Amino acid sequence: MRKIFVMLCVCVSCILNAQENVLSSEKCSETMAAIYSLDEAKFTTNLTQVTDKALAAYLTEYWALMKYTSANNKQNYKTYMQKSDDALDAVEDHKYEYTLRSNILIHRCLVDMSEGNMLSGGIQFWKSYRAFKEGEEKYPNYDGQLMLRGIYNILLSQIPDKWRGLAGFFGFGKGDLKKGFEQISAYREKVKNVVGVGEESLVVSFANFFLSQEQTVSAEMATAMKSSKSPLVLYAYLLSMGRKQRGAEADEVLQSIDSKLFTTFPLLYQQKSKFALRRLDADNCITYADKFLRIYKGIACLNDAYLLKGYAYLLKGDAAQAQQFGDKCAAMSASSDVDKRTQADAKRMAITDVEMLKARMQFEYGNFSESRKILASMTPKPSDILEYHFRIGRAEDMMGNRAAANKSYQQVVSLSGNDKRYFGPYAAVYQAEIKMKAGDKAAAKQLLAKAKSMNNGEFSKEIDQRIAIDLRTIEEQQ
């Protein structure tokens, strides 16, 4: 949850309208720009000139949200909750109370969930949705509602099928992923040239990359994000490059970022360390992880930084140091699924095969052929046989060799048995997607059913969501 918290908390924060320019006025817009550059001095100065008390409270809540995003420690959490309470009180008499309220509550939902407070987060989500529906009745033509409409269409379309009955009981709609993206795109067009508000709309629009099956981004949007001066926008873009195995492009972006932004937003150092590891640059991986650990004041990604250092020392041949940092990672508390996955990897440090690690990192960087070469030159240990065939399948798949990829995926599925790792169910999902591309929907459905039956271990929520998206894609094509 925390690993993509920055992207998510911005994706679901809707800043308001071009129709009546509620937050597009000069001082509100400049205050938004300060929020997105994390410039406290400018934020404070501009906020004093915002005369609408409700909007001033909302912007203050937004600032506290971004401070928590950049360093989610106890003090920032406490401050955020107080500013959130203040904002909820302040917007009661505003013309667009329900739109503002919906935004504040969904912010609270994400903050609670990032803290591991899933029940409280769920309650905030429900309250936010109710406020949004009130806004739909009172001012459906208000542009702020357009953004929320897109957000809820996307989020509700992602609810796994097994929870749809419960969601219906609480009054949630089904959602429509395609329509949601269209609504967000329409909103982006309205505000993209508004300073500050336009920066936010970039990240909101970028939800498409994280939630759609295609994960495509227009050249115009990619250019705008890469040239942004906001560390938040740049961080979201780097996260997406990591998901798409575009390490060389990520490194270009990292090299172009003003060094001051790394101090303002240390999570950029964590990304710099991660991409260094993926290109097998162990020394720089350690250097940037150390800089991150030295200046970061939050919790998110701390255990990941220790894992990165452990892997880097493993690449350098220093097993003792690798184990030391693996133990540090494993000893930390873990409230999110991402933290738990990171710690599970750390606990396997002692049995991690260096060549397998190299193959995995090279794949994640985007060097698919190099990853395949490493795999071809090694003899896997019995404990690594599932990952070995899985990595071959992924490399072949990304190089366009679908027949070879399908063969490797099938080996993984056949060998998985009761293994709780993600290799088996994900291999079945990737097989299904090969069949989908070939137009064989019946075979794809069978493989997705197989993936569902195997999905009882690692990454289960993520895999369940992927299966649901694939099934809906097949239905839409029929």
Side-chain angles (χ1 to χ4, degrees):
M1 179 71 191
R2 283 180 180 151
K3 206 147 191 179
I4 58 172
F5 172 71
V6 176
M7 188 281 302
L8 284 177
C9 76
V10 181
C11 281
V12 295
S13 56
C14 147
I15 295 276
L16 291 168
N17 124 340
Q19 183 183 29
E20 296 187 35
N21 298 314
V22 174
L23 284 182
S24 298
S25 64
E26 181 181 358
K27 287 306 168 187
C28 283
S29 177
E30 289 178 2
T31 305
M32 276 294 294
I35 289 171
Y36 267 81
S37 63
L38 289 173
D39 190 325
E40 188 163 10
K42 286 185 178 179
F43 168 76
T44 302
T45 299
N46 289 321
L47 186 68
T48 61
Q49 300 177 63
V50 177
T51 56
D52 185 317
K53 292 182 179 179
L55 294 183
Y58 182 81
L59 289 165
T60 301
E61 180 265 354
Y62 206 134
W63 172 258
L65 175 71
M66 290 304 158
K67 289 288 286 184
Y68 175 80
T69 299
S70 61
N72 61 330
N73 55 44
K74 289 182 179 180
Q75 181 56 52
N76 284 345
Y77 172 75
K78 183 178 179 180
T79 299
Y80 170 75
M81 295 305 289
Q82 181 59 59
K83 299 304 181 184
S84 176
D85 287 339
D86 293 344
L88 287 170
D89 289 340
V91 302
E92 282 187 357
D93 298 322
H94 194 272
K95 181 179 181 180
Y96 296 116
E97 172 193 350
Y98 293 105
T99 306
L100 288 164
R101 184 174 296 279
S102 181
N103 280 281
I104 295 165
L105 289 167
I106 206 164
H107 294 168
R108 287 183 72 131
C109 161
L110 289 168
V111 170
D112 268 335
M113 288 185 172
S114 78
E115 290 285 318
N117 304 325
M118 305 308 288
L119 177 59
S120 177
I123 292 171
Q124 302 307 321
F125 185 82
W126 176 64
K127 289 181 177 179
S128 174
Y129 185 72
R130 286 179 61 192
F132 159 67
K133 296 299 285 186
E134 287 279 355
E136 288 288 82
E137 291 183 11
K138 293 182 181 298
Y139 25 80
N141 295 320
Y142 177 49
D143 284 353
Q145 288 294 119
L146 171 62
M147 186 66 223
L148 282 173
R149 206 171 294 135
I151 287 169
Y152 275 109
N153 262 322
I154 290 174
L155 294 179
L156 294 177
S157 74
Q158 304 300 297
I159 295 175
D161 291 337
K162 63 184 178 182
W163 296 112
R164 288 207 168 273
L166 185 61
F169 176 79
F170 284 106
F172 294 118
K174 288 179 62 177
D176 186 322
L177 189 67
K178 182 178 179 182
K179 184 180 288 186
F181 289 141
E182 290 171 351
Q183 289 161 338
I184 286 177
S185 180
Y187 176 77
R188 159 79 180 139
E189 283 301 310
K190 287 176 180 288
V191 302
K192 67 180 182 181
N193 294 320
V194 181
V195 174
V197 180
E199 290 290 296
E200 183 212 39
S201 74
L202 274 174
V203 186
V204 174
S205 301
F206 221 54
N208 177 67
F209 194 98
F210 289 86
L211 296 175
S212 72
Q213 181 62 29
E214 294 79 13
Q215 295 187 341
T216 56
V217 176
S218 70
E220 179 269 335
M221 189 182 299
T223 298
M225 293 194 82
K226 286 191 288 186
S227 61
S228 174
K229 302 302 180 185
S230 165
L232 297 159
V233 173
L234 290 165
Y235 182 73
Y237 192 75
L238 290 167
L239 287 177
S240 70
M241 293 299 95
R243 286 172 67 93
K244 288 293 284 184
Q245 298 86 42
R246 294 167 68 172
E249 184 174 345
D251 276 338
E252 288 180 8
V253 173
L254 283 162
Q255 289 171 10
S256 70
I257 295 175
D258 188 322
S259 60
K260 294 178 182 177
L261 293 185
F262 287 90
T263 302
T264 302
F265 198 74
L267 286 164
L268 291 172
Y269 270 131
Q270 184 260 350
Q271 287 294 297
K272 201 163 188 177
S273 176
K274 185 181 293 291
F275 284 106
L277 180 71
R278 290 180 177 182
R279 65 175 184 269
L280 307 184
D281 183 351
D283 289 334
N284 274 316
C285 172
I286 294 167
T287 295
Y288 298 130
D290 282 340
K291 288 183 177 182
F292 170 72
L293 291 166
R294 188 162 55 249
I295 63 176
Y296 184 58
K297 304 302 181 185
I299 299 169
C301 299
L302 278 179
N303 64 353
D304 186 64
Y306 288 125
L307 181 64
L308 291 173
K309 288 191 69 173
Y311 280 158
Y313 278 110
L314 205 59
L315 292 180
K316 290 167 68 70
D318 191 337
Q321 281 277 65
Q323 190 60 52
Q324 178 184 336
F325 287 106
D327 291 343
K328 280 189 176 182
C329 175
M332 296 184 69
S333 61
S335 60
S336 71
D337 288 343
V338 173
D339 284 345
K340 290 173 184 176
R341 296 174 200 170
T342 301
Q343 289 182 329
D345 285 339
K347 289 174 182 177
R348 292 192 284 264
M349 185 68 72
I351 60 171
T352 298
D353 186 293
V354 176
E355 293 304 304
M356 184 69 76
L357 176 63
K358 289 179 181 177
R360 188 194 315 164
M361 293 300 106
Q362 284 288 275
F363 174 86
E364 291 179 358
Y365 191 76
N367 290 338
F368 308 125
S369 60
E370 184 60 31
S371 176
R372 184 67 181 88
K373 287 179 184 176
I374 294 170
L375 291 163
S377 67
M378 66 178 288
T379 301
K381 296 183 290 188
S383 60
D384 288 335
I385 199 69
L386 280 180
E387 181 173 3
Y388 175 75
H389 289 297
F390 182 82
R391 298 292 170 202
I392 290 175
R394 295 300 295 131
E396 296 286 6
D397 204 348
M398 296 302 289
M399 291 190 293
N401 304 325
R402 290 179 183 167
N406 187 67
K407 182 178 178 181
S408 290
Y409 291 149
Q410 184 55 49
Q411 286 180 288
V412 177
V413 171
S414 299
L415 293 169
S416 287
N418 295 320
D419 194 280
K420 299 295 184 182
R421 290 174 293 176
Y422 65 88
F423 302 121
Y426 250 133
V429 168
Y430 289 132
Q431 273 191 292
E433 290 172 0
I434 288 174
K435 295 297 182 182
M436 287 168 64
K437 290 172 184 175
D440 192 342
K441 297 172 186 175
K445 284 185 176 181
Q446 289 180 347
L447 286 162
L448 290 171
K450 178 67 174 176
K452 198 172 188 68
S453 70
M454 300 172 72
N455 187 29
N456 59 357
E458 292 180 332
F459 301 7
S460 60
K461 294 177 184 177
E462 181 179 299
I463 295 168
D464 191 44
Q465 185 182 63
R466 181 81 173 241
I467 292 168
I469 292 173
D470 281 346
L471 286 171
R472 288 171 201 159
T473 301
I474 291 171
E475 291 173 5
E476 290 171 1
Q477 293 173 348
Q478 290 178 340

